[in-house]
Amino acid sequence: MIDISGVTKHFDDVHALAEINLDIGTGEFVSIVGPSGCGKSTLLRIIAGLVSTHGRVVKPDKGAFVFQDSALLPWRNVQKNIELLMELELIPKAERVEKARSALSQVGLTGFEKNYPHQLSGGMKMRLSLARSLVLNPDYLLMDEPLSAVDELTREVLQEEIYALWKKDKFTAILVTHNVPEAVYLSNRVVIMSPRPGSITHIVDIPFKNRNQKLRSSNKYHKLINDISGKLRS
Ligand SMILES: Nc1ncnc2c1ncn2[C@@H]1O[C@H](COP(=O)(O)OP(=O)(O)OP(=O)(O)O)[C@@H](O)[C@H]1O
Ligand SMILES: [Mg+2]
């Protein structure tokens, strides 16, 4: 469970976040949508403990953050990038190698261990970044527009992969995205924010049990997308 209460943020004279209150259940998948500048990244960074705040965030110990630009180290190959966080945790070499092997196979990167980030496509970089975060079995995963740099088709494939990983590993997920269909497809709840100062205007429950291609073409899916897009515009 992640409990956000009374969280506010000022950057000098910019009132980035008004009071934010939000409870996220263990294992829940919540997406945050809202116009540019409404404070989504700031809220995510506050949850991660990377930005200070007045207010309170209660969360489990082990978390991971996936950044928009994938944040890989260009001088480390795929194998060394995926071992990075495990090295920081002083996990022994043999265990690192085994965990890396399993995580790379999960995201379809087996065989690319010796490649460097500049030799990977945008989708592959994002897979590597996801695998690197999940290899430590975090209790919660924060994702800031992880798929914004990939094409539409790759985006759907990666959504399926994120969904499968979440189903399997049962971490609590918070996803910031500009893509309303993506938020509806992946989430249990979609949080809608408005700017100046950033605040939560609506929280929409997503009732779907399963995610698949059939859902993407269903009326109930498109109705929710229209509903949320309408709320975003108002
Ligand atoms: N480190 C900082 N210093 C000063 N102002 C900041 C800082 N980080 C964010 N802001 C300001 O806070 C507000 C919210 O920014 P934030 O990056 O959280 O928005 P966002 O919703 O993530 O936008 P986008 O969708 O464009 O990524 C903006 O007005 C921004 O200029
Ligand atoms: Mg942002």
Side-chain angles (χ1 to χ4, degrees), residues 11 14 16 35-42 145 178:
F11 292 105
V14 176
S36 187
C38 74
K40 304 178 296 296
S41 297
T42 301
E145 300 192 45
H178 277 117

Side-chain angles (χ1 to χ4, degrees), residues 148-161:
S148 59
V150 297
D151 65 84
E152 206 47 44
L153 220 64
T154 308
R155 189 167 190 138
E156 283 195 7
V157 172
L158 290 172
Q159 285 166 6
E160 301 298 342
E161 292 182 10

